[in-house]
PDB file of all heavy atoms in Angstrom:
ATOM      1  N   LEU M   1      -4.608  14.826  10.467  1.00  0.00           N
ATOM      2  CA  LEU M   1      -4.946  13.467  10.892  1.00  0.00           C
ATOM      3  C   LEU M   1      -4.189  13.105  12.171  1.00  0.00           C
ATOM      4  O   LEU M   1      -3.040  13.481  12.345  1.00  0.00           O
ATOM      5  CB  LEU M   1      -4.556  12.465   9.810  1.00  0.00           C
ATOM      6  CG  LEU M   1      -5.296  12.526   8.487  1.00  0.00           C
ATOM      7  CD1 LEU M   1      -4.701  11.541   7.505  1.00  0.00           C
ATOM      8  CD2 LEU M   1      -6.774  12.254   8.697  1.00  0.00           C
ATOM      9  N   ASP M   2      -4.866  12.308  13.032  1.00  0.00           N
ATOM     10  CA  ASP M   2      -4.136  11.819  14.200  1.00  0.00           C
ATOM     11  C   ASP M   2      -3.190  10.698  13.741  1.00  0.00           C
ATOM     12  O   ASP M   2      -3.361  10.111  12.673  1.00  0.00           O
ATOM     13  CB  ASP M   2      -5.102  11.359  15.303  1.00  0.00           C
ATOM     14  CG  ASP M   2      -5.917  10.150  14.913  1.00  0.00           C
ATOM     15  OD1 ASP M   2      -5.319   9.073  14.707  1.00  0.00           O
ATOM     16  OD2 ASP M   2      -7.157  10.268  14.817  1.00  0.00           O
ATOM     17  N   GLU M   3      -2.206  10.420  14.545  1.00  0.00           N
ATOM     18  CA  GLU M   3      -1.140   9.470  14.185  1.00  0.00           C
ATOM     19  C   GLU M   3      -1.676   8.092  13.859  1.00  0.00           C
ATOM     20  O   GLU M   3      -1.231   7.452  12.899  1.00  0.00           O
ATOM     21  CB  GLU M   3      -0.107   9.402  15.313  1.00  0.00           C
ATOM     22  CG  GLU M   3       1.102   8.554  14.977  1.00  0.00           C
ATOM     23  CD  GLU M   3       1.901   9.052  13.767  1.00  0.00           C
ATOM     24  OE1 GLU M   3       1.963  10.277  13.538  1.00  0.00           O
ATOM     25  OE2 GLU M   3       2.446   8.202  13.044  1.00  0.00           O
ATOM     26  N   ALA M   4      -2.642   7.598  14.609  1.00  0.00           N
ATOM     27  CA  ALA M   4      -3.182   6.252  14.383  1.00  0.00           C
ATOM     28  C   ALA M   4      -3.892   6.165  13.035  1.00  0.00           C
ATOM     29  O   ALA M   4      -3.720   5.171  12.296  1.00  0.00           O
ATOM     30  CB  ALA M   4      -4.136   5.868  15.518  1.00  0.00           C
ATOM     31  N   ARG M   5      -4.661   7.182  12.714  1.00  0.00           N
ATOM     32  CA  ARG M   5      -5.382   7.152  11.425  1.00  0.00           C
ATOM     33  C   ARG M   5      -4.405   7.289  10.268  1.00  0.00           C
ATOM     34  O   ARG M   5      -4.542   6.608   9.247  1.00  0.00           O
ATOM     35  CB  ARG M   5      -6.415   8.270  11.375  1.00  0.00           C
ATOM     36  CG  ARG M   5      -7.319   8.139  10.149  1.00  0.00           C
ATOM     37  CD  ARG M   5      -8.598   8.896  10.312  1.00  0.00           C
ATOM     38  NE  ARG M   5      -9.475   8.602   9.190  1.00  0.00           N
ATOM     39  CZ  ARG M   5     -10.352   9.452   8.718  1.00  0.00           C
ATOM     40  NH1 ARG M   5     -10.510  10.636   9.282  1.00  0.00           N
ATOM     41  NH2 ARG M   5     -11.114   9.128   7.699  1.00  0.00           N
ATOM     42  N   LEU M   6      -3.418   8.164  10.397  1.00  0.00           N
ATOM     43  CA  LEU M   6      -2.405   8.314   9.364  1.00  0.00           C
ATOM     44  C   LEU M   6      -1.679   6.987   9.144  1.00  0.00           C
ATOM     45  O   LEU M   6      -1.466   6.559   8.006  1.00  0.00           O
ATOM     46  CB  LEU M   6      -1.415   9.410   9.738  1.00  0.00           C
ATOM     47  CG  LEU M   6      -0.257   9.625   8.772  1.00  0.00           C
ATOM     48  CD1 LEU M   6      -0.752   9.989   7.378  1.00  0.00           C
ATOM     49  CD2 LEU M   6       0.671  10.708   9.301  1.00  0.00           C
ATOM     50  N   ALA M   7      -1.307   6.321  10.232  1.00  0.00           N
ATOM     51  CA  ALA M   7      -0.618   5.030  10.121  1.00  0.00           C
ATOM     52  C   ALA M   7      -1.502   3.996   9.428  1.00  0.00           C
ATOM     53  O   ALA M   7      -1.040   3.236   8.590  1.00  0.00           O
ATOM     54  CB  ALA M   7      -0.203   4.540  11.507  1.00  0.00           C
ATOM     55  N   HIS M   8      -2.791   4.006   9.745  1.00  0.00           N
ATOM     56  CA  HIS M   8      -3.730   3.055   9.128  1.00  0.00           C
ATOM     57  C   HIS M   8      -3.868   3.314   7.631  1.00  0.00           C
ATOM     58  O   HIS M   8      -3.828   2.387   6.825  1.00  0.00           O
ATOM     59  CB  HIS M   8      -5.091   3.136   9.825  1.00  0.00           C
ATOM     60  CG  HIS M   8      -6.071   2.143   9.303  1.00  0.00           C
ATOM     61  ND1 HIS M   8      -7.216   2.522   8.629  1.00  0.00           N
ATOM     62  CD2 HIS M   8      -6.067   0.787   9.307  1.00  0.00           C
ATOM     63  CE1 HIS M   8      -7.877   1.441   8.272  1.00  0.00           C
ATOM     64  NE2 HIS M   8      -7.201   0.377   8.661  1.00  0.00           N
ATOM     65  N   ILE M   9      -4.008   4.565   7.255  1.00  0.00           N
ATOM     66  CA  ILE M   9      -4.136   4.916   5.829  1.00  0.00           C
ATOM     67  C   ILE M   9      -2.850   4.565   5.085  1.00  0.00           C
ATOM     68  O   ILE M   9      -2.899   4.007   3.984  1.00  0.00           O
ATOM     69  CB  ILE M   9      -4.515   6.402   5.662  1.00  0.00           C
ATOM     70  CG1 ILE M   9      -5.948   6.625   6.152  1.00  0.00           C
ATOM     71  CG2 ILE M   9      -4.386   6.838   4.185  1.00  0.00           C
ATOM     72  CD1 ILE M   9      -6.350   8.079   6.264  1.00  0.00           C
ATOM     73  N   ALA M  10      -1.707   4.874   5.674  1.00  0.00           N
ATOM     74  CA  ALA M  10      -0.431   4.533   5.046  1.00  0.00           C
ATOM     75  C   ALA M  10      -0.301   3.011   4.876  1.00  0.00           C
ATOM     76  O   ALA M  10       0.181   2.539   3.847  1.00  0.00           O
ATOM     77  CB  ALA M  10       0.741   5.083   5.860  1.00  0.00           C
ATOM     78  N   GLN M  11      -0.745   2.280   5.871  1.00  0.00           N
ATOM     79  CA  GLN M  11      -0.699   0.813   5.778  1.00  0.00           C
ATOM     80  C   GLN M  11      -1.616   0.316   4.667  1.00  0.00           C
ATOM     81  O   GLN M  11      -1.242  -0.560   3.888  1.00  0.00           O
ATOM     82  CB  GLN M  11      -1.113   0.193   7.114  1.00  0.00           C
ATOM     83  CG  GLN M  11      -1.075  -1.327   7.096  1.00  0.00           C
ATOM     84  CD  GLN M  11      -1.614  -1.932   8.377  1.00  0.00           C
ATOM     85  OE1 GLN M  11      -2.600  -1.468   8.921  1.00  0.00           O
ATOM     86  NE2 GLN M  11      -0.953  -2.979   8.849  1.00  0.00           N
ATOM     87  N   LEU M  12      -2.812   0.859   4.580  1.00  0.00           N
ATOM     88  CA  LEU M  12      -3.737   0.468   3.503  1.00  0.00           C
ATOM     89  C   LEU M  12      -3.155   0.787   2.132  1.00  0.00           C
ATOM     90  O   LEU M  12      -3.239  -0.019   1.196  1.00  0.00           O
ATOM     91  CB  LEU M  12      -5.094   1.156   3.676  1.00  0.00           C
ATOM     92  CG  LEU M  12      -5.956   0.665   4.827  1.00  0.00           C
ATOM     93  CD1 LEU M  12      -7.173   1.566   4.996  1.00  0.00           C
ATOM     94  CD2 LEU M  12      -6.367  -0.779   4.610  1.00  0.00           C
ATOM     95  N   TYR M  13      -2.565   1.960   1.996  1.00  0.00           N
ATOM     96  CA  TYR M  13      -1.932   2.340   0.733  1.00  0.00           C
ATOM     97  C   TYR M  13      -0.835   1.331   0.369  1.00  0.00           C
ATOM     98  O   TYR M  13      -0.766   0.840  -0.757  1.00  0.00           O
ATOM     99  CB  TYR M  13      -1.362   3.761   0.835  1.00  0.00           C
ATOM    100  CG  TYR M  13      -0.607   4.176  -0.393  1.00  0.00           C
ATOM    101  CD1 TYR M  13      -1.279   4.627  -1.524  1.00  0.00           C
ATOM    102  CD2 TYR M  13       0.773   4.115  -0.428  1.00  0.00           C
ATOM    103  CE1 TYR M  13      -0.582   4.996  -2.675  1.00  0.00           C
ATOM    104  CE2 TYR M  13       1.483   4.494  -1.563  1.00  0.00           C
ATOM    105  CZ  TYR M  13       0.790   4.936  -2.681  1.00  0.00           C
ATOM    106  OH  TYR M  13       1.488   5.293  -3.796  1.00  0.00           O
ATOM    107  N   GLY M  14       0.013   1.019   1.339  1.00  0.00           N
ATOM    108  CA  GLY M  14       1.077   0.054   1.119  1.00  0.00           C
ATOM    109  C   GLY M  14       0.554  -1.319   0.727  1.00  0.00           C
ATOM    110  O   GLY M  14       1.085  -1.983  -0.161  1.00  0.00           O
ATOM    111  N   ARG M  15      -0.520  -1.758   1.379  1.00  0.00           N
ATOM    112  CA  ARG M  15      -1.117  -3.050   1.043  1.00  0.00           C
ATOM    113  C   ARG M  15      -1.711  -3.032  -0.349  1.00  0.00           C
ATOM    114  O   ARG M  15      -1.624  -4.038  -1.082  1.00  0.00           O
ATOM    115  CB  ARG M  15      -2.179  -3.412   2.075  1.00  0.00           C
ATOM    116  CG  ARG M  15      -1.586  -3.829   3.423  1.00  0.00           C
ATOM    117  CD  ARG M  15      -2.631  -4.068   4.476  1.00  0.00           C
ATOM    118  NE  ARG M  15      -3.565  -5.117   4.065  1.00  0.00           N
ATOM    119  CZ  ARG M  15      -4.730  -5.322   4.667  1.00  0.00           C
ATOM    120  NH1 ARG M  15      -5.102  -4.562   5.692  1.00  0.00           N
ATOM    121  NH2 ARG M  15      -5.519  -6.277   4.257  1.00  0.00           N
ATOM    122  N   ALA M  16      -2.316  -1.911  -0.750  1.00  0.00           N
ATOM    123  CA  ALA M  16      -2.892  -1.810  -2.096  1.00  0.00           C
ATOM    124  C   ALA M  16      -1.799  -1.904  -3.145  1.00  0.00           C
ATOM    125  O   ALA M  16      -1.934  -2.613  -4.152  1.00  0.00           O
ATOM    126  CB  ALA M  16      -3.677  -0.500  -2.243  1.00  0.00           C
ATOM    127  N   VAL M  17      -0.705  -1.200  -2.923  1.00  0.00           N
ATOM    128  CA  VAL M  17       0.420  -1.240  -3.865  1.00  0.00           C
ATOM    129  C   VAL M  17       1.020  -2.649  -3.883  1.00  0.00           C
ATOM    130  O   VAL M  17       1.304  -3.198  -4.953  1.00  0.00           O
ATOM    131  CB  VAL M  17       1.469  -0.174  -3.515  1.00  0.00           C
ATOM    132  CG1 VAL M  17       2.739  -0.358  -4.323  1.00  0.00           C
ATOM    133  CG2 VAL M  17       0.902   1.224  -3.698  1.00  0.00           C
ATOM    134  N   ALA M  18       1.205  -3.240  -2.705  1.00  0.00           N
ATOM    135  CA  ALA M  18       1.802  -4.567  -2.614  1.00  0.00           C
ATOM    136  C   ALA M  18       0.931  -5.645  -3.251  1.00  0.00           C
ATOM    137  O   ALA M  18       1.449  -6.643  -3.761  1.00  0.00           O
ATOM    138  CB  ALA M  18       2.075  -4.926  -1.140  1.00  0.00           C
ATOM    139  N   ALA M  19      -0.374  -5.438  -3.257  1.00  0.00           N
ATOM    140  CA  ALA M  19      -1.269  -6.429  -3.857  1.00  0.00           C
ATOM    141  C   ALA M  19      -1.005  -6.587  -5.357  1.00  0.00           C
ATOM    142  O   ALA M  19      -1.179  -7.672  -5.915  1.00  0.00           O
ATOM    143  CB  ALA M  19      -2.737  -6.044  -3.632  1.00  0.00           C
ATOM    144  N   ALA M  20      -0.549  -5.526  -5.990  1.00  0.00           N
ATOM    145  CA  ALA M  20      -0.273  -5.572  -7.435  1.00  0.00           C
ATOM    146  C   ALA M  20       1.178  -5.948  -7.727  1.00  0.00           C
ATOM    147  O   ALA M  20       1.524  -6.221  -8.875  1.00  0.00           O
ATOM    148  CB  ALA M  20      -0.595  -4.224  -8.070  1.00  0.00           C
ATOM    149  N   ASP M  21       2.042  -5.994  -6.706  1.00  0.00           N
ATOM    150  CA  ASP M  21       3.457  -6.244  -6.933  1.00  0.00           C
ATOM    151  C   ASP M  21       3.757  -7.555  -7.669  1.00  0.00           C
ATOM    152  O   ASP M  21       4.575  -7.556  -8.579  1.00  0.00           O
ATOM    153  CB  ASP M  21       4.231  -6.195  -5.623  1.00  0.00           C
ATOM    154  CG  ASP M  21       4.640  -4.785  -5.246  1.00  0.00           C
ATOM    155  OD1 ASP M  21       4.438  -3.865  -6.083  1.00  0.00           O
ATOM    156  OD2 ASP M  21       5.153  -4.594  -4.140  1.00  0.00           O
ATOM    157  N   PRO M  22       3.136  -8.677  -7.306  1.00  0.00           N
ATOM    158  CA  PRO M  22       3.466  -9.905  -8.034  1.00  0.00           C
ATOM    159  C   PRO M  22       3.214  -9.772  -9.545  1.00  0.00           C
ATOM    160  O   PRO M  22       3.984 -10.266 -10.355  1.00  0.00           O
ATOM    161  CB  PRO M  22       2.540 -10.953  -7.420  1.00  0.00           C
ATOM    162  CG  PRO M  22       2.235 -10.433  -6.064  1.00  0.00           C
ATOM    163  CD  PRO M  22       2.217  -8.926  -6.202  1.00  0.00           C
ATOM    164  N   LEU M  23       2.176  -9.075  -9.910  1.00  0.00           N
ATOM    165  CA  LEU M  23       1.857  -8.841 -11.320  1.00  0.00           C
ATOM    166  C   LEU M  23       2.955  -8.009 -11.963  1.00  0.00           C
ATOM    167  O   LEU M  23       3.487  -8.369 -13.015  1.00  0.00           O
ATOM    168  CB  LEU M  23       0.514  -8.119 -11.409  1.00  0.00           C
ATOM    169  CG  LEU M  23       0.063  -7.666 -12.782  1.00  0.00           C
ATOM    170  CD1 LEU M  23      -0.446  -8.846 -13.575  1.00  0.00           C
ATOM    171  CD2 LEU M  23      -1.033  -6.625 -12.626  1.00  0.00           C
ATOM    172  N   ARG M  24       3.304  -6.898 -11.337  1.00  0.00           N
ATOM    173  CA  ARG M  24       4.312  -5.987 -11.893  1.00  0.00           C
ATOM    174  C   ARG M  24       5.698  -6.638 -11.923  1.00  0.00           C
ATOM    175  O   ARG M  24       6.397  -6.590 -12.926  1.00  0.00           O
ATOM    176  CB  ARG M  24       4.369  -4.688 -11.100  1.00  0.00           C
ATOM    177  CG  ARG M  24       3.081  -3.890 -11.195  1.00  0.00           C
ATOM    178  CD  ARG M  24       3.152  -2.617 -10.442  1.00  0.00           C
ATOM    179  NE  ARG M  24       3.730  -2.822  -9.107  1.00  0.00           N
ATOM    180  CZ  ARG M  24       4.039  -1.852  -8.287  1.00  0.00           C
ATOM    181  NH1 ARG M  24       3.855  -0.612  -8.636  1.00  0.00           N
ATOM    182  NH2 ARG M  24       4.545  -2.111  -7.093  1.00  0.00           N
ATOM    183  N   VAL M  25       6.070  -7.269 -10.814  1.00  0.00           N
ATOM    184  CA  VAL M  25       7.397  -7.886 -10.743  1.00  0.00           C
ATOM    185  C   VAL M  25       7.522  -8.994 -11.787  1.00  0.00           C
ATOM    186  O   VAL M  25       8.576  -9.152 -12.399  1.00  0.00           O
ATOM    187  CB  VAL M  25       7.674  -8.397  -9.309  1.00  0.00           C
ATOM    188  CG1 VAL M  25       8.942  -9.249  -9.262  1.00  0.00           C
ATOM    189  CG2 VAL M  25       7.789  -7.229  -8.351  1.00  0.00           C
ATOM    190  N   GLY M  26       6.464  -9.728 -12.022  1.00  0.00           N
ATOM    191  CA  GLY M  26       6.486 -10.758 -13.056  1.00  0.00           C
ATOM    192  C   GLY M  26       6.782 -10.190 -14.421  1.00  0.00           C
ATOM    193  O   GLY M  26       7.581 -10.744 -15.179  1.00  0.00           O
ATOM    194  N   GLN M  27       6.185  -9.060 -14.731  1.00  0.00           N
ATOM    195  CA  GLN M  27       6.429  -8.410 -16.015  1.00  0.00           C
ATOM    196  C   GLN M  27       7.875  -7.946 -16.122  1.00  0.00           C
ATOM    197  O   GLN M  27       8.516  -8.091 -17.149  1.00  0.00           O
ATOM    198  CB  GLN M  27       5.493  -7.204 -16.193  1.00  0.00           C
ATOM    199  CG  GLN M  27       4.060  -7.594 -16.442  1.00  0.00           C
ATOM    200  CD  GLN M  27       3.904  -8.297 -17.770  1.00  0.00           C
ATOM    201  OE1 GLN M  27       4.299  -7.786 -18.810  1.00  0.00           O
ATOM    202  NE2 GLN M  27       3.362  -9.489 -17.731  1.00  0.00           N
ATOM    203  N   TRP M  28       8.402  -7.361 -15.059  1.00  0.00           N
ATOM    204  CA  TRP M  28       9.784  -6.882 -15.075  1.00  0.00           C
ATOM    205  C   TRP M  28      10.749  -8.050 -15.202  1.00  0.00           C
ATOM    206  O   TRP M  28      11.702  -8.005 -15.965  1.00  0.00           O
ATOM    207  CB  TRP M  28      10.123  -6.111 -13.810  1.00  0.00           C
ATOM    208  CG  TRP M  28       9.246  -4.946 -13.530  1.00  0.00           C
ATOM    209  CD1 TRP M  28       8.601  -4.166 -14.450  1.00  0.00           C
ATOM    210  CD2 TRP M  28       8.915  -4.410 -12.257  1.00  0.00           C
ATOM    211  NE1 TRP M  28       7.888  -3.181 -13.808  1.00  0.00           N
ATOM    212  CE2 TRP M  28       8.069  -3.308 -12.471  1.00  0.00           C
ATOM    213  CE3 TRP M  28       9.268  -4.764 -10.963  1.00  0.00           C
ATOM    214  CZ2 TRP M  28       7.568  -2.547 -11.427  1.00  0.00           C
ATOM    215  CZ3 TRP M  28       8.768  -4.000  -9.936  1.00  0.00           C
ATOM    216  CH2 TRP M  28       7.937  -2.907 -10.166  1.00  0.00           C
TER     217      TRP M  28
END
């Protein structure tokens, strides 16, 4: 992958994980 696409995918992955964080953190 070129650097820009890799950065975009990593950002999307991070956003997907972060979207569930309030739910998980609340449980913890």
